[in-house]
Coordinates of all heavy atoms in Angstrom, one line a residue:
D1 N 86.9 -45.5 -3.4 CA 87.6 -44.4 -2.8 C 86.8 -43.2 -2.7 O 87.3 -42.1 -2.2 CB 88.9 -44.1 -3.6 CG 90.0 -45.1 -3.3 OD1 89.8 -45.9 -2.4 OD2 91.0 -45.1 -4.0
D2 N 85.5 -43.2 -3.0 CA 84.6 -42.1 -2.8 C 84.1 -42.2 -1.4 O 83.2 -43.0 -1.1 CB 83.5 -42.1 -3.9 CG 82.7 -40.8 -3.8 OD1 83.1 -39.8 -3.3 OD2 81.5 -40.9 -4.3
V3 N 84.5 -41.3 -0.5 CA 84.2 -41.4 0.9 C 83.8 -40.0 1.4 O 84.5 -39.0 1.1 CB 85.5 -41.8 1.7 CG1 85.1 -41.9 3.2 CG2 85.9 -43.2 1.2
Y4 N 82.6 -39.9 2.0 CA 82.1 -38.6 2.5 C 81.2 -38.8 3.6 O 80.5 -39.8 3.8 CB 81.5 -37.8 1.3 CG 80.3 -38.6 0.6 CD1 79.0 -38.4 1.0 CD2 80.6 -39.5 -0.4 CE1 78.0 -39.0 0.4 CE2 79.5 -40.1 -1.0 CZ 78.2 -39.9 -0.6 OH 77.2 -40.6 -1.2
R5 N 81.1 -37.7 4.4 CA 80.1 -37.7 5.6 C 78.7 -37.5 5.1 O 78.5 -36.8 4.1 CB 80.6 -36.6 6.6 CG 81.8 -37.0 7.4 CD 82.1 -35.9 8.4 NE 83.1 -36.4 9.4 CZ 83.6 -35.6 10.3 NH1 83.2 -34.3 10.4 NH2 84.5 -36.1 11.2
T6 N 77.8 -38.0 5.9 CA 76.4 -37.8 5.6 C 75.5 -37.8 6.9 O 75.9 -38.4 7.9 CB 75.8 -38.9 4.6 OG1 74.5 -38.6 4.3 CG2 76.0 -40.3 5.3
I7 N 74.4 -37.1 6.8 CA 73.5 -37.1 8.0 C 72.5 -38.2 7.7 O 71.7 -38.6 8.6 CB 72.7 -35.8 8.2 CG1 71.9 -35.4 6.9 CG2 73.7 -34.7 8.5 CD1 71.0 -34.2 7.1
L8 N 72.5 -38.8 6.6 CA 71.5 -39.9 6.3 C 71.9 -41.2 7.0 O 73.0 -41.5 7.3 CB 71.5 -40.2 4.8 CG 71.1 -39.1 3.9 CD1 71.2 -39.5 2.4 CD2 69.7 -38.6 4.2
S9 N 70.9 -41.9 7.4 CA 71.0 -43.2 8.1 C 70.2 -44.3 7.5 O 69.1 -44.0 7.1 CB 70.6 -43.0 9.6 OG 70.5 -44.2 10.2
P10 N 70.7 -45.5 7.5 CA 69.8 -46.6 7.0 C 68.7 -46.9 7.9 O 67.7 -47.5 7.5 CB 70.8 -47.8 7.0 CG 72.2 -47.2 7.0 CD 72.0 -45.9 7.8
I11 N 68.7 -46.5 9.2 CA 67.8 -47.0 10.2 C 66.8 -45.9 10.7 O 65.6 -46.2 10.9 CB 68.6 -47.5 11.4 CG1 69.5 -48.7 10.9 CG2 67.7 -48.0 12.5 CD1 70.5 -49.1 12.0
K12 N 67.3 -44.7 10.9 CA 66.5 -43.7 11.6 C 65.1 -43.4 11.0 O 64.1 -43.3 11.7 CB 67.2 -42.4 11.7 CG 68.4 -42.4 12.7 CD 69.1 -41.0 12.7 CE 70.3 -41.1 13.7 NZ 71.0 -39.8 13.7
T13 N 65.0 -43.4 9.6 CA 63.7 -43.1 9.0 C 63.0 -44.3 8.5 O 61.9 -44.2 7.9 CB 64.0 -42.1 7.8 OG1 64.8 -42.7 6.9 CG2 64.6 -40.8 8.3
A14 N 63.5 -45.5 8.8 CA 62.8 -46.7 8.4 C 61.7 -47.0 9.3 O 61.8 -47.0 10.5 CB 63.8 -47.9 8.4
F15 N 60.5 -47.2 8.7 CA 59.3 -47.5 9.6 C 59.1 -49.0 9.8 O 58.3 -49.5 10.6 CB 58.0 -46.9 9.1 CG 57.5 -47.4 7.8 CD1 56.7 -48.6 7.8 CD2 57.7 -46.8 6.6 CE1 56.2 -49.1 6.6 CE2 57.2 -47.3 5.4 CZ 56.4 -48.4 5.4
K16 N 59.9 -49.8 9.0 CA 59.9 -51.3 9.2 C 61.3 -51.8 8.8 O 61.9 -51.5 7.8 CB 58.8 -51.9 8.2 CG 58.7 -53.4 8.4 CD 57.6 -54.0 7.5 CE 57.5 -55.5 7.7 NZ 56.4 -56.1 6.8
I17 N 61.8 -52.7 9.8 CA 63.1 -53.3 9.6 C 62.9 -54.8 9.7 O 62.4 -55.2 10.8 CB 64.1 -52.8 10.5 CG1 64.3 -51.3 10.4 CG2 65.5 -53.5 10.3 CD1 65.2 -50.6 11.4
K18 N 63.3 -55.6 8.8 CA 63.1 -57.0 8.8 C 64.4 -57.7 8.5 O 65.1 -57.4 7.5 CB 62.0 -57.5 7.8 CG 61.8 -59.0 7.9 CD 60.7 -59.4 6.8 CE 60.4 -60.9 6.9 NZ 59.4 -61.2 5.9
R19 N 64.8 -58.6 9.4 CA 66.0 -59.5 9.1 C 65.6 -60.6 8.2 O 64.7 -61.3 8.5 CB 66.5 -60.0 10.4 CG 67.8 -60.7 10.3 CD 68.5 -61.1 11.6 NE 69.8 -61.6 11.5 CZ 70.7 -61.6 12.4 NH1 70.4 -61.1 13.6 NH2 72.0 -62.0 12.2
V20 N 66.4 -60.7 7.1 CA 66.0 -61.8 6.1 C 67.1 -62.9 6.0 O 66.8 -63.8 5.3 CB 65.7 -61.1 4.7 CG1 64.5 -60.2 4.8 CG2 66.9 -60.3 4.2
S21 N 68.2 -62.7 6.6 CA 69.2 -63.7 6.6 C 70.2 -63.4 7.7 O 70.0 -62.5 8.5 CB 70.0 -63.8 5.3 OG 70.9 -62.7 5.1
S22 N 71.3 -64.2 7.8 CA 72.2 -64.0 8.9 C 73.0 -62.6 8.8 O 73.5 -62.1 9.7 CB 73.2 -65.1 8.9 OG 74.0 -65.2 7.7
T23 N 73.0 -62.1 7.6 CA 73.7 -60.8 7.3 C 72.9 -59.7 6.7 O 73.3 -58.6 6.7 CB 74.9 -61.1 6.4 OG1 74.4 -61.6 5.1 CG2 75.9 -62.1 7.0
D24 N 71.7 -60.0 6.2 CA 70.9 -59.1 5.5 C 69.7 -58.6 6.2 O 69.0 -59.4 6.9 CB 70.5 -59.6 4.1 CG 71.6 -59.9 3.2 OD1 72.8 -59.6 3.6 OD2 71.4 -60.4 2.1
V25 N 69.4 -57.3 6.0 CA 68.1 -56.7 6.6 C 67.4 -55.9 5.4 O 68.1 -55.4 4.5 CB 68.3 -55.8 7.8 CG1 68.9 -56.6 9.0 CG2 69.3 -54.6 7.4
V26 N 66.1 -55.9 5.5 CA 65.3 -55.0 4.5 C 64.7 -53.9 5.3 O 64.0 -54.2 6.3 CB 64.3 -55.9 3.8 CG1 63.4 -55.0 2.9 CG2 64.9 -57.0 3.0
C27 N 64.9 -52.7 4.9 CA 64.3 -51.5 5.6 C 63.3 -50.9 4.6 O 63.6 -50.7 3.4 CB 65.4 -50.5 5.9 SG 66.6 -51.0 7.2
T28 N 62.2 -50.6 5.1 CA 61.1 -50.0 4.4 C 60.9 -48.5 4.8 O 60.8 -48.3 6.0 CB 59.8 -50.8 4.5 OG1 60.0 -52.1 4.2 CG2 58.7 -50.2 3.6
Y29 N 60.8 -47.6 3.9 CA 60.7 -46.2 4.2 C 59.5 -45.6 3.5 O 58.9 -46.1 2.5 CB 61.9 -45.5 3.6 CG 63.3 -46.1 4.0 CD1 63.8 -47.1 3.2 CD2 63.9 -45.6 5.1 CE1 65.1 -47.6 3.6 CE2 65.2 -46.1 5.5 CZ 65.7 -47.2 4.7 OH 67.0 -47.7 5.1

């Protein structure tokens, strides 16, 4: 129930994104 807005993104600052399964991705920063 802890819900809040953020400017952070999982994707925008990632310099490498790799899909590792049908549902999972690994982002490197």
Side-chain angles (χ1 to χ4, degrees):
D1 280 353
D2 189 18
V3 179
Y4 56 94
R5 284 181 169 178
T6 181
I7 60 172
L8 298 178
S9 165
I11 301 169
K12 285 181 183 177
T13 59
F15 69 82
K16 184 179 180 181
I17 302 174
K18 182 180 179 181
R19 185 170 190 158
V20 294
S21 74
S22 62
T23 59
D24 292 359
V25 295
V26 175
C27 295
T28 306
Y29 307 88

